[in-house]
Amino acid sequence: MKITKLETFLVKPRWLFLKMHTDEGLVGLGEPILEGRAKTCAQAVAELEPYLVGKDPTRVVHHWQAMYRHAFYRGGPILTSALSGVEQALWDLSGKALGVPVYKLLGGPTRDRIRLYKGGGDPATIKEWIAKGFTCFKTGPYSERPARIIENKTFIDTAASQFARLREVAGPDIDLAIDFHGAISPQTAKVLIKELEPYQPFFVEEPVQCQNVDVLAEIARGTHLPIATGERVFTKWGFREILEKQAASILQPDLCHAGGIFEVRLIAGMAEAYYGGIAPHNPLGPISLAACLQLDASIPNFVAQEHTTLGEGYLKKPFVFKDGFVELPTGPGLGIELDDDAMEDQIDHDWRNGESYLADDGSVVDW
């Protein structure tokens, strides 16, 4: 089997899908996207095509090494996201060629079903999704305005009380995480975490910018709450410092950004050596979710899986959610088929990142 062509196409609301064609008629799927940079990622995939065409897609790790290391300037969010989507498609083809799910190529399943968590920022949403079977959620710290470098008591009290209301609605049996999104300063993060501790968040995600590893480690040592990070960290080399400095105990690599399925499998192994858990980041589409589920099934230190869609309107057979979990996919490769007919009105988009400014003075704040 040889690769013949790489085809990318924009898909609403903000995704980029990849079809990797072969001379045997099998098609591998991937999601090589960086939010807000879809067209740039598509071009990066096109630049990998000359290397891939004519090659055996089942040599997944060899091709990853070649595409990553033959570039003198390596890594970064764009190139690694393009590489991640291509790698997903290579695994999809490998599984389809052998007639088995990808997780069986990674050592077999370590669990029978995969726990999902949902975003929910208000009590009504939490109640609604609990009624549908969800037992794990993630929310943000504050909804009224962006945070300043040093925040006042009103900001801290309001953020803590908002989380307290969610905890009251959810009850003690529901896992409720909170994501600072790296938009809270070190000066404010420590104060806010202290006020949240009585309500026992499932984890505190990106309490500060992920590049600020030393401060992240300091925060982790200063609280009994689990600290999570990783959606903006790439490859095993990026996660090495996080683990060595014990800056987080929950890692959240994104399989569309961090290097793909096998790269995140390696990161999970590194985390296991530090007794860390893996909760893959995924605010993206159904191909991304399919790749995540293959990884989740194969690792012993899986925590919970973020998602935005089960694939309705995109997949011929969307994933089925029940009582907080989805069953292991059993189809070959990633275990999914795109529904091209249903997707006809979802092709193309011009999604852009949001722009936020402080109302006080018009200065730029983190998204």
Side-chain angles (χ1 to χ4, degrees):
M1 181 167 58
K2 305 296 182 185
I3 298 168
T4 58
K5 183 176 69 172
L6 273 60
E7 176 190 8
T8 58
F9 47 104
L10 299 168
V11 180
K12 290 182 176 65
R14 60 176 185 175
W15 307 327
L16 181 72
F17 289 178
L18 165 67
K19 289 183 177 180
M20 182 179 290
H21 298 270
T22 68
D23 60 354
E24 294 187 4
L26 293 178
V27 178
L29 300 175
E31 199 164 334
I33 178 65
L34 187 70
E35 296 91 315
R37 299 289 184 267
K39 293 179 181 178
T40 311
C41 285
Q43 183 58 38
V45 171
E47 290 170 348
L48 295 173
E49 186 175 28
Y51 164 78
L52 289 163
V53 168
K55 291 187 170 62
D56 174 3
T58 65
R59 299 187 66 185
V60 182
V61 174
H62 175 76
H63 294 325
W64 194 99
Q65 291 287 323
M67 289 183 288
Y68 187 86
R69 292 168 58 194
H70 286 165
F72 184 75
Y73 296 98
R74 302 173 182 175
I78 296 293
L79 298 181
T80 312
S81 296
L83 178 59
S84 297
V86 167
E87 191 260 13
Q88 293 166 10
L90 291 170
W91 276 116
D92 192 26
L93 286 170
S94 297
K96 286 174 176 175
L98 294 171
V100 296
V102 170
Y103 61 77
K104 288 199 173 181
L105 303 178
L106 300 176
T110 61
R111 54 187 38 81
D112 299 323
R113 53 185 186 157
I114 309 296
R115 191 185 192 195
L116 299 185
Y117 75 82
K118 195 79 175 175
D122 62 83
T125 301
I126 294 290
K127 286 182 179 179
E128 176 187 352
W129 288 106
I130 288 176
K132 294 179 179 180
F134 281 92
T135 60
C136 189
F137 299 88
K138 185 170 72 178
T139 187
Y142 198 79
S143 59
E144 296 179 21
R145 64 168 173 80
R148 298 173 297 200
I149 293 176
I150 301 176
E151 266 307 341
N152 57 31
K153 192 174 187 303
T154 296
F155 182 97
I156 299 297
D157 290 347
T158 301
S161 65
Q162 285 179 349
F163 190 87
R165 284 196 295 274
L166 293 181
R167 171 57 74 199
E168 182 179 0
V169 168
D173 293 326
I174 297 296
D175 290 319
L176 189 60
I178 187 166
D179 184 0
F180 286 17
H181 220 263
I184 305 295
S185 70
Q187 294 88 338
T188 295
K190 294 178 184 179
V191 180
L192 180 52
I193 288 173
K194 183 178 180 181
E195 293 303 310
L196 290 170
E197 285 178 349
Y199 311 108
Q200 196 172 329
F202 190 45
F203 55 73
V204 179
E205 181 176 342
E206 280 198 336
V208 295
Q209 283 288 329
C210 62
Q211 296 89 351
N212 204 355
V213 180
D214 288 327
V215 170
L216 197 61
E218 181 184 342
I219 288 173
R221 288 192 296 269
T223 181
H224 59 270
L225 299 176
I227 298 300
T229 194
E231 69 184 72
R232 292 184 278 185
V233 181
F234 315 109
T235 75
K236 64 182 81 69
W237 295 286
F239 280 92
R240 180 180 62 185
E241 184 182 9
I242 300 289
L243 290 167
E244 287 176 344
K245 294 182 176 179
Q246 299 183 55
S249 58
I250 305 296
L251 300 189
Q252 300 170 297
D254 190 309
L255 274 73
C256 291
H257 304 329
I261 295 171
F262 192 72
E263 187 69 3
V264 176
R265 179 64 187 88
L266 296 175
I267 292 165
M270 293 166 63
E272 185 184 2
Y274 286 86
Y275 301 95
I278 300 293
H281 178 254
N282 174 33
L284 295 167
I287 301 176
S288 175
L289 177 61
C292 287
L293 295 179
Q294 299 293 328
L295 181 279
D296 301 337
S298 70
I299 61 174
N301 50 340
F302 168 72
V303 176
Q305 179 60 59
E306 181 178 21
H307 79 292
T308 60
T309 175
L310 295 173
E312 300 94 337
Y314 299 95
L315 302 182
K316 289 184 178 180
K317 293 183 179 180
F319 295 104
V320 178
F321 173 84
K322 182 181 179 182
D323 298 331
F325 295 81
V326 294
E327 298 298 320
L328 293 188
T330 58
L334 297 181
I336 57 172
E337 287 185 80
L338 292 180
D339 190 334
D340 292 321
D341 293 335
M343 287 172 50
E344 279 187 2
D345 61 350
Q346 300 294 328
I347 300 302
D348 205 10
H349 67 80
D350 57 358
W351 190 88
R352 296 176 57 191
N353 291 291
E355 299 178 17
S356 300
Y357 305 92
L358 273 181
D360 294 345
D361 58 10
S363 59
V364 173
V365 294
D366 290 334
W367 177 56

